[in-house]
Amino acid sequence: MAQEMPDWSELHHDLLVLIRRRLNLIEDYLNFSIVCKSWHSVATKNNFTSDLPRIPWLMLAEEEEEEDKSLRKFFSLYNGMILNKRIPKAMGKRCMESLGWLITVGKDEGEINLLHPFSGVEIELPHQNTTEDYEEHGEECLFTYVRKAVLSASPSHTSDFVLMVIEGNIRFLSFWRPGDLRWNRVHWDASHHSPFVDVVYFNGLFYAVNFSGEVVVCDVGGPESRKRSHVLVQLPFCRRDGMGHLYILESLGSLFVVARDGVQNSWVKDDCERMRIPLTYIPLEEGMTELEDGQERRYGTTSFRVFQVDLSADGKVKVTVTQELGDRAFFLGANASISVQASQFPGIKPNHIYFTDDFFESYLCYEEGGGMDMGVCNLADGTIQLHYEAISLSPVCPPTWVTPTLH
């Protein structure tokens, strides 16, 4: 006589609670919640309180063929799972990310909001036209006015937070606190201005890196609306053939600056290996240099260089060039740059950099938009492979990393 299969839906409630408490990865939690009604009743948002770091999901681009344009797909590196989620407030908008929140920018009107993609909570932000000297430093494309956005703390947990953005065609730093009616410009002690490219919140201060490789620190605490910043250190950094992009992040008590080479358009004989379908190049304006015979204009990340910036108690700064991250993995893109401990997450490789296509100066040169220049780089040998095998392209919001939080 065949043995009857157990009815898992009849497990005692207290036993289900014990199982649920052992789930640390949000992917496992979501799988747990869809087994049956009794399991779902235990898996409430308030019951999932894991304080462990979360591995980012890849939020894919909007799919034009989808009947429901508000449907977004999230890809998990942990188990290859695709999660479908309706996010109507993000439709047609460019999305950046910080601490699980999206910073959305309207394509046509340029309105800016904070949006939690899974709870649907939205916080209205001052329009970009409230930034200092907006008329002088605005751009034709309203949805590219804000280059990067980073939170000091999650709005899910506190109202005492600061949102720092890089904005304008000169890429200034400006910030907003809840209750402010406009953006506040950060002024810094320098005779010239080099455009900022990334910013991170670390130990109560914001640190930014600019186009020249200077690391700048600024304190926006206190009652004053206009704050100043100063240069902390100049990195031993040079651009390769004028190409590259910089990121700054914190990992294990140190700051790291990552230089990403190859993101800008260039004249090449052969396609980048990750250009798996032909892209439709938007013709150059009349009078600009045309393509030479046999050449195509392409872009694609070729390498990474990593600088570790250690801050000592006496104010001294030590910069070390390194290709060794230990058990850490970096996630770079239109998200706030982050580091995770790889051994905590099955499928995540230590000493690797996971990156998305975020350099819109290049991908807006193609009708299909961005999403091709994504992958994972092994810092030990410099090899780059795909982390997502399918194609996901958009000129407004290519795929980006989103740290999953339920509320």
Side-chain angles (χ1 to χ4, degrees):
M1 183 176 179
Q3 185 177 1
E4 293 185 4
M5 292 294 292
D7 187 349
W8 296 106
S9 66
E10 294 184 357
L11 281 181
H12 193 275
H13 181 272
D14 291 344
L15 181 57
L16 290 175
V17 170
L18 289 175
I19 297 173
R20 187 264 305 158
R21 287 176 179 172
R22 298 182 65 87
L23 302 178
N24 291 317
L25 294 177
I26 196 169
E27 290 89 345
D28 292 336
Y29 173 84
L30 292 173
N31 286 333
F32 177 93
S33 68
I34 61 175
V35 171
C36 59
K37 288 184 178 180
S38 61
W39 289 43
H40 182 77
S41 66
V42 173
T44 63
K45 294 179 181 179
N46 292 333
N47 283 338
F48 186 73
T49 57
S50 172
D51 293 326
L52 289 176
R54 309 280 175 84
I55 176 178
W57 289 350
L58 185 66
M59 184 177 77
L60 303 178
E62 291 181 347
E63 297 184 4
E64 292 297 325
E65 62 272 16
E66 287 285 350
E67 185 175 338
D68 184 357
K69 295 295 191 296
S70 69
L71 186 67
R72 297 299 284 265
K73 294 182 178 180
F74 293 81
F75 173 71
S76 168
L77 293 168
Y78 161 55
N79 57 9
M81 179 178 74
I82 293 284
L83 171 73
N84 295 313
K85 175 66 177 176
R86 291 186 67 254
I87 316 177
K89 294 177 182 177
M91 286 177 56
K93 296 182 179 180
R94 179 164 169 257
C95 296
M96 295 160 281
E97 189 270 356
S98 181
L99 299 180
W101 285 72
L102 299 179
I103 298 87
T104 64
V105 184
K107 182 177 183 297
D108 299 318
E109 302 298 328
E111 71 280 5
I112 309 175
N113 295 290
L114 274 168
L115 172 65
H116 192 279
F118 299 104
S119 70
V121 174
E122 188 173 44
I123 301 172
E124 185 177 353
L125 301 173
H127 194 276
Q128 59 191 29
N129 60 18
T130 65
T131 55
E132 188 174 320
D133 300 325
Y134 173 77
E135 296 300 327
E136 181 180 352
H137 299 296
E139 295 190 330
E140 292 183 6
C141 294
L142 295 178
F143 71 97
T144 63
Y145 181 84
V146 175
R147 304 295 182 114
K148 202 71 178 278
V150 173
L151 287 162
S152 65
S154 172
S156 301
H157 304 138
T158 179
S159 59
D160 183 18
F161 66 88
V162 177
L163 176 65
M164 183 72 76
V165 299
I166 299 174
E167 45 86 1
N169 57 10
I170 308 297
R171 304 189 194 182
F172 296 104
L173 289 174
S174 290
F175 66 94
W176 175 86
R177 293 190 186 93
D180 290 346
L181 300 180
R182 59 184 300 112
W183 294 95
N184 305 290
R185 176 71 52 78
V186 175
H187 296 267
W188 63 303
D189 302 321
S191 58
H192 68 286
H193 174 75
S194 182
F196 291 102
V197 288
D198 201 8
V199 60
V200 65
Y201 186 74
F202 174 53
N203 282 348
L205 299 170
F206 283 97
Y207 294 84
V209 62
N210 64 22
F211 191 80
S212 301
E214 294 173 318
V215 176
V216 174
V217 57
C218 54
D219 182 359
V220 299
E224 299 177 29
S225 61
R226 293 165 64 90
K227 297 294 178 180
R228 302 191 71 84
S229 60
H230 65 274
V231 176
L232 184 69
V233 66
Q234 169 68 63
L235 298 176
F237 163 77
C238 63
R239 293 188 171 271
R240 294 178 176 173
D241 300 324
M243 301 177 187
H245 194 42
L246 292 171
Y247 305 86
I248 187 169
L249 69 159
E250 179 273 334
S251 182
L252 297 178
S254 295
L255 290 173
F256 286 81
V257 175
V258 180
R260 174 178 174 181
D261 299 307
V263 297
Q264 289 179 300
N265 269 307
S266 61
W267 310 107
V268 296
K269 293 288 184 182
D270 301 309
D271 274 354
C272 170
E273 290 181 1
R274 291 180 303 285
M275 295 297 175
R276 290 162 290 156
I277 62 172
L279 299 179
T280 308
Y281 184 71
I282 299 174
L284 296 172
E285 296 180 7
E286 185 177 353
M288 294 183 67
T289 304
E290 295 295 332
L291 296 171
E292 298 179 9
D293 291 341
Q295 287 185 325
E296 290 189 33
R297 193 164 189 174
R298 284 288 184 264
Y299 70 102
T301 299
T302 55
S303 63
F304 288 90
R305 291 170 285 160
V306 181
F307 303 86
Q308 183 172 345
V309 182
D310 288 314
L311 313 175
S312 63
D314 59 5
K316 294 182 179 180
V317 182
K318 179 183 178 182
V319 178
T320 306
V321 179
T322 181
Q323 292 296 107
E324 179 54 58
L325 305 180
D327 190 31
R328 312 299 291 185
F330 290 173
F331 286 79
L332 310 178
N335 58 297
S337 307
I338 65 169
S339 165
V340 302
Q341 186 175 347
S343 59
Q344 290 186 338
F345 305 101
I348 300 303
K349 302 174 183 178
N351 201 38
H352 279 65
I353 293 177
Y354 294 77
F355 61 94
T356 59
D357 194 350
D358 68 327
F359 199 77
F360 56 76
E361 287 90 342
S362 286
Y363 67 66
L364 287 181
C365 294
Y366 302 90
E367 292 182 4
E368 295 84 359
M372 276 296 189
D373 188 21
M374 300 196 301
V376 52
C377 176
N378 182 344
L379 282 178
D381 59 18
T383 57
I384 297 177
Q385 298 178 330
L386 295 173
H387 53 61
Y388 180 69
E389 296 287 344
I391 303 295
S392 182
L393 304 175
S394 170
V396 178
C397 187
T400 190
W401 301 116
V402 175
T403 302
T405 59
L406 296 179
H407 53 81

